[in-house]
Amino acid sequence: MASQVATPTSLQTTATSSSTSLSSPALSPSSPAQLSPDDVELLAKLEEQNRLLETDSKSLRSMNGSRRNSGSSLVSSSSASSNLSHLEEDSWILWGRIVNEWEEVRKKKEKQLKDLVRKGVPHHFRAIVWQLLCNAQNMPIKDQYSELLKMTSPCEKLIRRDIARTYPEHEFFKEKDSLGQEVLFNVMKAYSLVDREVGYCQGSAFIVGLLLMQMPEEEAFCVFVKLMQDYRLRELFKPSMAELGLCMYQFECMIQEQLPELHMHFQAQSFHTSMYASSWFLTIFLTSFPLPVATRIFDIFMCEGLEIVFRVGLAILQMNQTELIQLDMEGMLQHFQKVIPHQLDSGPDKVIQAAYQVKYNAKKMKKLEKEYTTIKTKEMEEQVEIKRLRTENRLLKQRIDTLEKKGAPRYSEESVLQLERELVQARLKEAESQCALKEMQDKILDMEKRNTSLPDDTNVARLQEELIGVKLREAEALTGLKELRQQVRDLEDHWQRHMARTAGRWKDSPRKNTLSELQDELMSVRLREAEAQAELRETRQRMLEMETQNQIHSNQLRRAEQESRCLQECVQTLTAQNKDLHVQLQEIKRRQAEIECKSKEEVMAVRLREADNIAAMAELQQQISELEIQKEEGKVQGQLNHTDSSQCIRDLRDQIAELKHEICCLKGQKGLTSQPTFDGIHIINHYVGDDGSYQSSDEDGVKGPTLQDSQQRSGGRIRLQPNLHDTDSEEEEEEDDEEALRLSVPQSGSHKSTTV
């Protein structure tokens, strides 16, 4: 019998037979002497499984009725057993009432419920209480469980591989291909099909295993789905594990604030928070603490969420701070793995009590979450930028390799130009994206300003308090009005009775008349009292109205002052920005003026250098023309013999070659200048007047005789050849030379014109 009770599945098989087994004469509490301890234990187990199977409200009400009528309930049977203490009996009675009246207790007595959960949920109530805490009853997905088991999951191999690693020392899971491993596989497979983004994560198997120790697999599947959806576990188990990084950041900030010495020691040893605390958050201490301790913590987790993990984790560090500071990294790892679990063998009460001494601020945790999100956003932007730069670098390397393979200068120049164009386009796109990003940031700032202008939570709470106060004063006024009306009715009754008595006063005796007069005086006093009370009520009502108006006006004035302060701050900010922009504008204007002055100076210098080069070229051309004229005059006059003429011609040819070289050098210097030359200035021709002066300008070139006119007037044409000989064949060869120097000498000696 003990072996049958050991596993939850066998308990479920025994409990599903019928609830009539509880009312059988053999197990009736009316004969406690006949029950053995094993029978009492079996009875408690059967009651637990019946409660798990009959979780709907109708069955709970029927069980409650059976408690009242037959007396064969769970509590009465436990009280009949000699093995259960009075404390356990009271706990069972209390939790039985809580389960039966769950909705009312959850709404009206939430604080008391939290205190009870912190003290521990009884083992036999744990399954139903966990389902109620996470609202996992009657989920529609429960009906899909059997269909999900028929499907195939891509995570089946991973689940099979890790099944043997989940609670390897527990009786329910340690045997290979046992019923415990099979139901664990079914639940993990079903969830991997429901949530394909998360699929399967190894740490989640420990949570599912704990659920299967308490309830059947369908209920365990529903509870696990609720935990993943509503308790942040789904974000923890996502492939990116972004939520785990957030928890590590928040936990490390708590350590830095509350345990600064230990935090400095961790930093010095490079002992990161994730090295010891990641399993705490992923498995809720199921892999780090003994199972009874972890189960108690899991009770609180089902009620309060991940807050208990932060509290217990910091409490553990506080309890072991002295030992951890004296250890290095390896020693600290060994301490977390071997020493700390044995510290909790005595029970979880000490660590839970220490956990609720830890300072935990929910608002500060929200602030840390925003900081972590900002940090991660910046890191993502930097990673995107680095990835983009790496991509551009890789593309440029590919282009360079392609250009090196081609090797032709023409292709390389074209490729360089193409790359420059692509770079310009990329820069333009980047500028556009920066502009779009700036616009989005401006929109976000605008929306934040609008949100700040809206009433915040404190203002809304204040307005609600004002409204409640006004309603209370209105209720007081209505109550006073009702009292006045009642007094008026009483006075009217007294008056009617008084009129009835005074109607026969002349018939009564003098004593009765005296009594009537006294009654009249009493009535008048009551009337005056009623009038005074009415005036007092009216005065109080006016006072309440004045107080209400005063409070409303004061609130309006306070809000107006706050808005005025905000507007003044905005004006100051805008004024400072305007001043900065004005200073920047003046600086830009000054730089622009300096650049314009420099550019003008450079243009003038270039123009001066070009004028000097033109003058030098003109002088050289004049010297060439003079030498050619002298040579021609000597040849015409016949003053030179053949030998002397050849020598003179060779000398003149050398001089002409030197002058041509100098002209080429000057032209090369002119072509290398990057600044523009004088606009509209071109040397047309150069001639020498009768007075021997040299002229060079556009107008003189137009007015003066051109080379063609000189040739037409002269009628003669003299050519100076580099290789001059007496033969006619050499002269014909020189006529074909494109580099020959042509001279034209006019008949009249008034002008001399030369062109090269």
Side-chain angles (χ1 to χ4, degrees), residues 280-293:
W280 293 354
F281 287 89
L282 290 174
T283 63
I284 320 298
F285 299 105
L286 290 172
T287 58
S288 304
F289 293 173
L291 191 58
V293 178

Side-chain angles (χ1 to χ4, degrees), residues 299-536:
D299 288 339
I300 305 173
F301 169 74
M302 295 292 293
C303 183
E304 302 180 18
L306 280 177
E307 177 183 343
I308 187 61
V309 182
F310 287 99
R311 288 183 177 276
V312 172
L314 206 62
I316 291 294
L317 294 180
Q318 286 178 348
M319 294 165 62
N320 295 269
Q321 180 178 5
T322 306
E323 293 82 359
L324 290 172
I325 290 178
Q326 299 174 359
L327 300 174
D328 58 359
M329 180 188 291
E330 295 293 334
M332 286 188 289
L333 284 174
Q334 294 293 327
H335 191 82
F336 276 106
Q337 293 174 0
K338 297 182 179 180
V339 178
I340 290 178
H342 292 294
Q343 293 177 352
L344 305 174
D345 290 338
S346 59
D349 294 332
K350 182 179 178 181
V351 69
I352 291 175
Q353 184 177 2
Y356 283 97
Q357 301 298 323
V358 172
K359 296 179 181 179
Y360 182 88
N361 191 342
K363 292 183 178 179
K364 188 166 186 181
M365 299 298 280
K366 288 288 184 183
K367 184 179 179 182
L368 292 174
E369 182 178 356
K370 291 181 180 179
E371 291 179 0
Y372 181 78
T373 305
T374 304
I375 293 171
K376 283 298 176 183
T377 303
K378 290 182 179 179
E379 289 181 357
M380 289 295 294
E381 291 176 355
E382 292 176 356
Q383 290 179 0
V384 170
E385 182 66 18
I386 291 171
K387 187 176 181 181
R388 185 183 65 80
L389 293 174
R390 286 177 178 174
T391 304
E392 290 183 359
N393 190 16
R394 179 171 51 81
L395 293 174
L396 289 174
K397 285 182 178 179
Q398 292 178 357
R399 292 292 180 86
I400 291 171
D401 294 338
T402 305
L403 293 174
E404 289 178 353
K405 290 178 181 179
K406 289 182 178 180
R410 179 169 56 87
Y411 295 119
S412 62
E413 291 176 0
E414 292 177 358
S415 301
V416 170
L417 292 175
Q418 181 67 22
L419 288 173
E420 289 178 353
R421 286 193 292 270
E422 291 179 359
L423 181 60
V424 170
Q425 292 177 359
R427 294 300 181 189
L428 290 175
K429 290 181 180 178
E430 184 179 2
E432 292 176 357
S433 62
Q434 291 291 336
C435 292
L437 180 61
K438 186 68 180 301
E439 291 178 359
M440 294 299 295
Q441 291 177 350
D442 294 338
K443 289 181 180 179
I444 291 171
L445 292 174
D446 190 13
M447 292 178 69
E448 288 179 353
K449 289 180 180 178
R450 292 179 182 177
N451 290 334
T452 54
S453 63
L454 295 175
D456 55 1
D457 296 338
T458 56
N459 291 334
V460 172
R462 195 179 299 113
L463 292 174
Q464 288 178 353
E465 292 176 358
E466 294 175 5
L467 180 61
I468 291 170
V470 171
K471 288 183 177 180
L472 289 174
R473 288 190 287 271
E474 183 179 0
E476 291 177 359
L478 292 174
T479 305
L481 183 60
K482 289 180 181 179
E483 292 177 357
L484 285 174
R485 287 176 180 174
Q486 185 64 34
Q487 290 179 0
V488 170
R489 292 193 194 98
D490 296 339
L491 288 172
E492 287 179 354
D493 294 338
H494 286 296
W495 179 254
Q496 292 296 332
R497 289 195 297 269
H498 175 68
M499 291 300 294
R501 287 194 301 269
T502 56
R505 180 181 298 177
W506 59 278
K507 297 179 181 180
D508 295 335
S509 61
R511 181 176 293 179
K512 289 185 178 180
N513 291 335
T514 304
L515 182 61
S516 299
E517 289 176 358
L518 292 174
Q519 289 178 352
D520 292 340
E521 291 179 0
L522 180 61
M523 181 58 65
S524 61
V525 170
R526 287 181 178 179
L527 287 173
R528 287 194 296 273
E529 182 183 1
E531 290 176 357
Q533 288 181 355
E535 291 178 358
L536 180 61

Side-chain angles (χ1 to χ4, degrees), residues 190-255:
Y191 185 80
S192 68
L193 292 169
V194 170
D195 191 354
R196 295 185 179 271
E197 182 181 0
V198 175
Y200 166 73
C201 188
Q202 184 179 5
S204 59
F206 289 92
I207 298 175
V208 175
L210 179 64
L211 297 176
L212 289 172
M213 295 177 196
Q214 312 296 330
M215 62 190 75
E217 58 182 300
E218 292 86 354
E219 284 77 5
F221 172 69
C222 295
V223 173
F224 183 65
V225 171
K226 271 291 182 180
L227 291 177
M228 296 292 283
Q229 293 175 354
D230 300 339
Y231 287 73
R232 296 170 62 183
L233 291 184
R234 185 175 185 274
E235 302 299 325
L236 284 173
F237 288 121
K238 275 186 177 180
S240 61
M241 289 190 173
E243 192 73 13
L244 181 61
L246 171 62
C247 292
M248 295 295 102
Y249 179 76
Q250 292 173 331
F251 191 63
E252 186 172 357
C253 290
M254 290 180 67
I255 298 172

